[in-house]
C-alpha cells in the first residue's frame, strides 16, 4: 500500500468508530465465516494508489457466497462464474464500447486506475448487508472525501442508492455519473444505456488525461 493510503489509514485508526469496527471484526472472523478473507479487506487501496486513480466505481457490500469476494467491488477470481451484477456491467461495456471480457477478475482495472470500492468492506457468509451498520459507511465516506481532494479531474461512477448518497462529498471539478445499480433487479431502470465507460474516457481525454483501458 502506498504511503498516502497508509497515512489515511493511520488517521482513521485513531478514531473511536474505527477502533470499535476493528474490535468487532476480530471477534467476527474468529467465530463466523466472513468475506472477503481478512488479508483482502483493503485490497482496493493496495492495488490503486491515490496517485494513479482515474475513475472510482462504488459497489454495495461484498459478495456473500463462498469464494466470490476478493476485496474489489464487483470483482471475482477468474475461475469463478461471473455474478449477475458483473454480467450486466459487462453487457453495458460491450454495448457501449464493443469490449468483451471473458472472466470476472477486475484486477487489471484496479491496476489501471479504477478504484473499485464497496460501501461496506465485509459481510457475513450468506447474509447480505450484515455489516452495514458497524462503521464501514463512515469509513468509505472518508475515503471518498479524500479522493475528492485530488486536484486532477476524476470520474466517479455511482451505481445505486447507497453509492449516490456520496455525491454531495465530491468536488464539482470531477465528473459524477449516476445510474441504478447493475443488479438484475434494477439494471433495466437506466443502468443499461448509461454509457458510463465511454463518457468516462471522453471526459478524461478532454482534460488531457489518458482514458481507462477497459478491455
Amino acid at each position: 500500500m502506498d504511503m498516502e493510503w497508509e497515512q489515511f489509514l493511520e488517521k482513521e485508526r485513531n478514531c473511536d468508530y474505527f477502533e470499535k469496527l476493528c474490535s468487532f471484526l476480530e471477534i467476527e472472523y474468529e467465530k463466523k465465516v466472513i468475506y472477503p478473507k481478512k488479508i483482502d479487506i483493503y485490497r482496493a487501496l493496495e492495488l490503486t494508489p491515490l496517485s494513479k486513480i482515474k475513475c472510482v466505481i462504488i459497489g454495495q457490500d461484498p459478495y456473500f457466497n463462498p469464494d466470490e469476494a476478493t476485496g474489489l467491488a464487483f470483482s471475482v477470481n477468474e475461475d469463478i462464474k461471473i455474478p449477475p451484477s458483473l454480467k450486466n456491467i459487462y453487457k453495458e461495456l460491450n454495448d457501449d464500447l464493443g469490449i468483451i471480457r471473458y472472466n470476472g477478475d477486475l484486477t487489471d482495472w484496479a491496476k489501471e486506475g479504477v478504484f473499485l470500492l464497496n460501501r461496506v468492506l465485509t459481510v457475513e457468509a450468506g447474509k447480505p448487508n450484515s455489516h452495514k451498520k458497524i462503521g464501514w459507511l463512515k469509513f468509505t465516506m472518508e475515503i471518498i472525501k479524500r479522493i475528492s481532494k485530488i486536484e486532477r479531474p476524476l470520474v466517479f461512477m455511482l451505481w445505486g442508492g447507497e453509492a449516490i448518497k456520496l455525491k454531495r462529498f465530491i468536488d464539482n471539478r470531477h465528473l459524477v455519473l449516476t445510474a441504478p445499480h447493475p443488479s438484475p433487479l434494477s439494471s433495466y431502470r437506466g443502468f443499461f444505456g448509461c454509457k458510463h465507460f465511454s463518457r468516462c474516457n471522453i471526459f478524461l481525454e478532454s482534460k488531457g488525461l489518458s482514458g481507462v483501458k477497459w478491455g
Side-chain angles (χ1 to χ4, degrees), residues 115-126:
F115 191 73
L116 296 163
L117 180 72
N118 280 315
R119 285 283 351 240
V120 174
L121 299 192
T122 55
V123 69
E124 184 179 342

Side-chain angles (χ1 to χ4, degrees), residues 66-82:
D67 303 320
E68 288 188 343
T70 66
L72 299 177
F74 298 107
S75 183
V76 292
N77 290 317
E78 63 177 304
D79 56 343
I80 300 293
K81 182 181 177 184
I82 299 173

Side-chain angles (χ1 to χ4, degrees), residues 14-31:
N14 291 323
C15 298
D16 285 347
Y17 88 91
F18 200 73
E19 287 181 12
K20 289 174 185 171
L21 169 60
C22 292
S23 298
F24 174 83
L25 288 177
E26 281 298 321
I27 297 166
E28 289 284 288
Y29 272 95
E30 281 179 22
K31 292 185 174 181

Side-chain angles (χ1 to χ4, degrees), residues 113-163:
V114 181
F115 191 73
L116 296 163
L117 180 72
N118 280 315
R119 285 283 351 240
V120 174
L121 299 192
T122 55
V123 69
E124 184 179 342
K127 295 184 177 179
N129 287 320
S130 49
H131 285 183
K132 184 175 180 179
K133 295 181 179 177
I134 67 169
W136 284 130
L137 293 179
K138 175 167 174 52
F139 178 73
T140 51
M141 176 187 74
E142 294 300 333
I143 286 178
I144 294 303
K145 285 180 179 177
R146 175 62 191 89
I147 295 173
S148 179
K149 291 177 182 174
I150 294 173
E151 291 188 8
R152 68 183 181 283
L154 307 173
V155 178
F156 289 79
M157 297 183 185
L158 308 182
W159 298 338
E162 207 53 68

